[in-house]
Amino acid sequence: MKILVCLKQVPHQDARLEVAPGGTWIQDSNIKFDINDYDKYALELALRIKDAGEAEVVVASIGPDRATQALRTALGMGADRAVQVWDDAFAATDSLAIAKTLAAVAKEESFDLVVMGLMSDDANNSLTAPMLAQFLDLPHVTSVVKAELQDGKVEVERELEGGSLEVRSVPLPALLAVQTGINDVRYASLKGIMAAKKKPLAKKSLSDLGLDAGAVAPKVSIAKLYVPPKGEGAELVEGSPAEQASKVVAKIKELGLL
Amino acid sequence: MAKVLIVGEIQGGALREASLELVAVARGLGGDVVSLVLGKGVQGIAEDLSKKGGGKVLVAEGDALEAYSADTHTAVIQQAVEAEQPDLILLSNTPNGWDVAGKLAAVLDVAAVTDVFRIEADGDGFLLTRRMFNGKFDAQLRASGRTLATVQPGAATAYEGSDAGSVEALTVSGLSSRSTFVEVRKAAAGGHDLTKADIVVSGGRGLQKPEKFDEVLEPLCAALGAQMGASRPVVDAGWKPHEYQVGSSGQVIAPKLYVAVGISGAIQHLVGMKGSNFIIAINKDPDAPIFEVADLGVVGDLFEVVPALVEALKQAKG
């Protein structure tokens, strides 16, 4: 069995984010990056399938030089090989272009299962996975919270609203876009990190994949990124922690809840 | 003027309120509005929508459409798009909405933007506004040509006018789904019901360690007589069981008082608690989105503020 895990390197959850001077993206030169949280769960799902039997896990990412680190981490966790794609055309891109490029990567081999996160923590689009499924002509399920491989198919649970779950049976090959929290993501062990240095990591350009900048020209661009305008917002309580506390308590008293 | 196709969504045998919100968004753009309703036994829903501002309502009926499937829904919506040639296709940003949106955009090869809360026409395309970076920033996106958008439920008020539209059958043959619907079931219910609590105190990643829920948050719950809740990242990390989760995929609550401690306020959390009668937020980041929905905000270190609050509550009660 061959599994492709698509992952994205995004700003670390604890990074302090600010809008860059151009006003269309964040200042990303001096911040810490990490594997997108959703994608970590997707990777863990793939690695558990590998642990349970025979599977090769390939990780792919579209990202600049810094994204090599994310792929090395994934290799350190147990993935077998990595593919990194970059072209300056991706500096301003959209989900459709990313999905087309990932499809070109996937089509170079033959995968039984493609897994990735439901969305990225930066763009929050939740578009790339179903787009990629379409380009690969695969059935897909998003918001996956449970996946169990059976003979030639995968039984999945998809998260709906209000605590409801939908159970679906999907024939392989298939694409699954997973929710966060579905498993306990492993850390790369020191031994794993050492081993990762010797695992293959292929760097590809658009032309290596038979694409050019025109093929991945975006239809959606960011015109403006900004801190949301302050509405009426909260009344802020000033002072030392003790002073703040007594003002909050006064409010709770006023509400008749004490 | 932009022509808009609304894709209605059926839930529990009725049209979702979110679909009527799409009507309001579409009508706000001032152009032609057509709608699509697809399912089994949905003729009545289509007729109803045609009287509620949906304009001409296409209705696709069939056994194959009884349960949602990305394959069948994509095929039907694609056919409606080919028939109507809309400039803008609107779906609701729901689990079914985002499941089909990307696939449909790939099939149609059109611009796609999800979870938007404002749309304006712009030349041959649209300007769409949405949150990014888990609520930290807003972005205005420029989409060129035909555009597909999912709209955040609650972003618009449901259209309330009554206009005479019409209903037309959309015949779609040869529908099949590669994946098979098995069932919808409720997640195992825990005993931790937050929906009936008068006061809920929830903790987020700001608490830094699972044991801080007992050390820091529990005394505050005790002093207020509150039930404890948690944000999604905390539940994902396994610090608290899922039955503690407040948000769109956890419990949706509206207590008399909600206290958010160390929670930044991602959209999916806000959806779960913004109906609370009074909201107090404690967070070190003054730009945290939680302060936008809070009534009272404390910008500070929760590890100093919460113990001070517990002390002040004890004194107040004597």
Side-chain angles (χ1 to χ4, degrees):
Chain A
M1 169 144 213
K2 245 165 106 168
I3 307 171
L4 175 66
V5 182
C6 302
L7 56 87
K8 183 176 184 181
Q9 192 191 43
V10 297
H12 191 280
Q13 286 187 332
D14 296 330
R16 264 194 72 100
L17 303 181
E18 282 169 29
V19 176
T24 58
W25 194 243
I26 54 156
Q27 186 79 266
D28 63 2
S29 49
N30 276 315
I31 58 168
K32 224 166 100 183
F33 284 86
D34 194 5
I35 299 175
N36 179 42
D37 204 37
Y38 291 82
D39 299 337
K40 288 182 190 171
Y41 293 97
L43 175 59
E44 179 64 35
L45 176 69
L47 294 175
R48 285 181 186 207
I49 294 171
K50 181 185 165 178
D51 293 346
E54 296 245 324
E56 184 187 18
V57 175
V58 180
V59 287
S61 187
I62 299 175
D65 285 343
R66 59 172 161 74
T68 303
Q69 183 55 50
L71 289 169
R72 286 279 173 220
T73 301
L75 293 172
M77 288 165 69
D80 299 292
R81 284 190 287 126
V83 180
Q84 183 180 355
V85 183
W86 186 246
D87 186 283
D88 288 340
F90 289 121
T93 187
D94 67 0
S95 305
L96 204 57
I98 294 295
K100 280 176 188 170
T101 309
L102 289 172
V105 171
K107 279 176 179 170
E108 292 203 312
E109 314 182 32
S110 177
F111 291 100
D112 304 289
L113 187 63
V114 181
V115 291
M116 56 204 292
L118 170 65
M119 65 173 84
S120 62
D121 280 315
D122 50 5
N124 305 150
N125 283 329
S126 56
L127 283 168
T128 308
M131 284 172 167
L132 177 57
Q134 176 59 32
F135 291 131
L136 296 174
D137 198 21
L138 296 179
H140 78 263
V141 180
T142 56
S143 318
V144 169
V145 290
K146 193 177 166 192
E148 232 176 68
L149 276 185
Q150 297 170 354
D151 191 25
K153 59 179 186 176
V154 55
E155 182 117 332
V156 302
E157 288 186 6
R158 177 167 80 106
E159 185 180 71
L160 302 177
E161 295 142 298
S164 288
L165 298 168
E166 184 192 78
V167 183
R168 290 194 87 87
S169 176
V170 194
L172 295 175
L175 182 146
L176 306 180
V178 309
Q179 255 294 4
T180 52
I182 70 166
N183 47 36
D184 292 320
V185 179
R186 70 191 67 188
Y187 288 97
S189 64
L190 191 60
K191 197 176 141 206
I193 293 166
M194 295 311 286
K197 290 179 181 167
K198 289 180 190 136
K199 289 181 178 174
L201 191 155
K203 298 203 177 193
K204 299 194 182 218
S205 65
L206 274 178
S207 61
D208 291 336
L209 296 168
L211 297 168
D212 57 37
V216 295
K219 295 175 195 293
V220 179
S221 59
I222 299 176
K224 195 165 63 167
L225 186 77
Y226 53 99
V227 175
K230 295 281 173 233
E232 282 183 21
E235 176 198 334
L236 293 182
V237 201
E238 310 289 344
S240 68
E243 286 162 349
Q244 289 175 319
S246 72
K247 286 173 190 166
V248 171
V249 171
K251 191 61 180 181
I252 296 171
K253 241 183 187 167
E254 201 184 306
L255 292 167
L257 291 169
L258 217 60
Chain B
M1 287 284 206
K3 180 173 178 178
V4 186
L5 171 68
I6 293 164
V7 181
E9 188 175 334
I10 313 286
Q11 190 181 46
L15 190 71
R16 291 185 68 142
E17 175 86 354
S19 300
L20 293 174
E21 294 165 13
L22 298 183
V23 173
V25 172
R27 297 225 152 212
L29 290 163
D32 264 1
V33 175
V34 292
S35 301
L36 170 67
V37 171
L38 60 170
K40 189 185 174 190
V42 293
Q43 183 71 24
I45 291 169
E47 279 166 20
D48 199 35
L49 178 57
S50 76
K51 291 171 194 142
K52 287 182 172 168
K56 179 170 83 176
V57 181
L58 304 174
V59 55
E61 280 270 3
D63 291 343
L65 296 171
E66 186 173 13
Y68 166 81
S69 146
D71 286 346
T72 57
H73 279 233
T74 299
V76 173
I77 301 167
Q78 181 186 8
Q79 187 152 331
V81 169
E82 278 161 12
E84 294 298 331
Q85 297 292 321
D87 302 295
L88 179 67
I89 303 147
L90 293 181
L91 296 101
S92 302
N93 197 61
T94 57
N96 287 356
W98 69 64
D99 191 72
V100 78
K103 181 175 171 69
L104 188 61
V107 167
L108 299 169
D109 195 30
V110 297
V113 185
T114 54
D115 210 19
V116 306
F117 57 82
R118 193 163 57 236
I119 306 179
E120 302 148 63
D122 174 59
D124 80 326
F126 298 89
L127 285 173
L128 308 104
T129 311
R130 64 191 298 269
R131 293 267 198 266
M132 279 179 98
F133 292 90
N134 295 330
K136 182 97 186 164
F137 300 117
D138 278 1
Q140 190 178 58
L141 301 154
R142 183 174 291 116
S144 60
R146 179 175 288 160
T147 298
L148 182 154
T150 68
V151 178
Q152 188 186 108
T157 309
Y159 186 72
E160 281 182 347
S162 53
D163 306 81
S166 59
V167 174
E168 239 178 61
L170 180 76
T171 314
V172 188
S173 55
L175 287 175
S176 70
S177 173
R178 290 168 291 187
S179 63
T180 318
F181 169 81
V182 179
E183 61 169 341
V184 168
R185 61 175 185 82
K186 279 276 170 200
H192 196 71
D193 185 1
L194 298 174
T195 60
K196 294 182 181 73
D198 281 341
I199 306 178
V200 174
V201 174
S202 287
R205 284 181 71 242
L207 278 136
Q208 294 174 1
K209 287 178 193 156
E211 53 269 29
K212 297 293 177 191
F213 280 77
D214 292 337
E215 292 168 15
V216 179
L217 215 56
E218 185 51 45
L220 180 57
C221 291
L224 280 169
Q227 290 259 48
M228 190 190 287
S231 69
R232 174 155 206 150
V234 161
V235 172
D236 284 350
W239 296 0
K240 283 285 159 198
H242 183 260
E243 62 195 55
Y244 278 69
Q245 189 174 319
V246 174
S248 56
S249 48
Q251 300 188 53
V252 176
I253 58 172
K256 289 178 182 161
L257 174 64
Y258 186 81
V259 185
V261 180
I263 293 177
S264 67
I267 297 163
Q268 84 95 20
H269 185 77
L270 302 183
V271 169
M273 45 61 80
K274 68 183 178 191
S276 305
N277 188 49
F278 198 86
I279 299 168
I280 298 172
I282 302 168
N283 201 298
K284 66 178 181 199
D285 177 6
D287 292 327
I290 192 77
F291 288 122
E292 277 302 293
V293 299
D295 297 288
L296 200 64
V298 181
V299 177
D301 180 351
L302 73 89
F303 296 108
E304 290 178 12
V305 172
V306 173
L309 194 49
V310 171
E311 194 50 43
L313 283 165
K314 280 182 187 160
Q315 283 179 11
K317 289 198 286 193

